[in-house]
């Protein structure tokens, strides 16, 4: 986690690794190297936690649909507020994309 209370130094280090990796992928100056990337990949390091969080919400939406037969999750869904907010944001982002507006 971003603010890993048990080991703040580790949390800071992980954030730095992800930042340096992103810079490297954008061909910008970075302290990251391919050998370091390979070493981190050996332990299945997650370079982008946003992808993991998105997948978690997607799986929750699939479970919601399996239970209800639809994907109309209310924005203020009491059972899972994070899912309601996520679905609302996905719809907002889709609307912007369809209007060729930046998201």
């Amino acid at each position: 986690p971003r603010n890993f209370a048990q080991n703040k130094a580790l949390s800071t280090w992980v954030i730095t690794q992800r930042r340096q990796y992103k810079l490297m992928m954008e061909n910008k100056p970075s302290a990251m190297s391919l050998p370091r990337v390979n070493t981190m990949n050996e332990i299945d390091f997650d370079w982008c936690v946003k992808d993991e969080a998105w997948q978690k919400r997607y799986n929750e939406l699939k479970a919601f649909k399996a239970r209800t037969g639809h994907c109309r999750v209310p924005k203020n869904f009491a059972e899972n507020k994070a899912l309601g907010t996520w679905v609302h944001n996905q719809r907002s982002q889709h609307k912007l994309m369809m209007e060729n507006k930046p998201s």
Side-chain angles (χ1 to χ4, degrees):
R2 186 167 191 78
N3 297 314
F4 187 51
Q6 291 91 344
N7 193 336
K8 291 186 182 208
L10 176 60
S11 177
T12 300
W13 182 82
V14 167
I15 290 166
T16 300
Q17 299 315 298
R18 288 184 175 127
R19 185 179 309 120
Q20 292 300 314
Y21 177 78
K22 182 179 179 192
L23 289 170
M24 183 182 91
M25 297 307 289
E26 294 171 348
N27 291 318
K28 295 180 179 175
S30 167
M32 186 55 65
S33 66
L34 285 177
R36 286 183 183 178
V37 170
N38 292 335
T39 299
M40 297 295 277
N41 286 341
E42 287 175 10
I43 61 167
D44 297 323
F45 183 76
D46 287 321
W47 292 105
C48 184
V49 291
K50 289 180 182 179
D51 291 343
E52 186 177 313
W54 189 94
Q55 190 65 46
K56 178 183 178 190
R57 295 290 174 247
Y58 174 73
N59 289 335
E60 290 173 355
L61 179 60
K62 285 187 354 184
F64 177 89
K65 183 177 182 184
R67 201 171 61 248
T68 64
H70 62 79
C71 293
R72 295 181 305 274
V73 182
K75 184 177 177 185
N76 295 318
F77 184 44
E79 185 180 319
N80 187 339
K81 291 183 181 190
L83 177 60
T85 300
W86 182 83
V87 168
H88 174 78
N89 289 339
Q90 296 306 303
R91 288 186 179 125
S92 295
Q93 292 300 311
H94 180 261
K95 182 179 178 187
L96 289 171
M97 182 183 74
M98 296 308 291
E99 295 172 350
N100 289 319
K101 293 181 180 177
S103 62

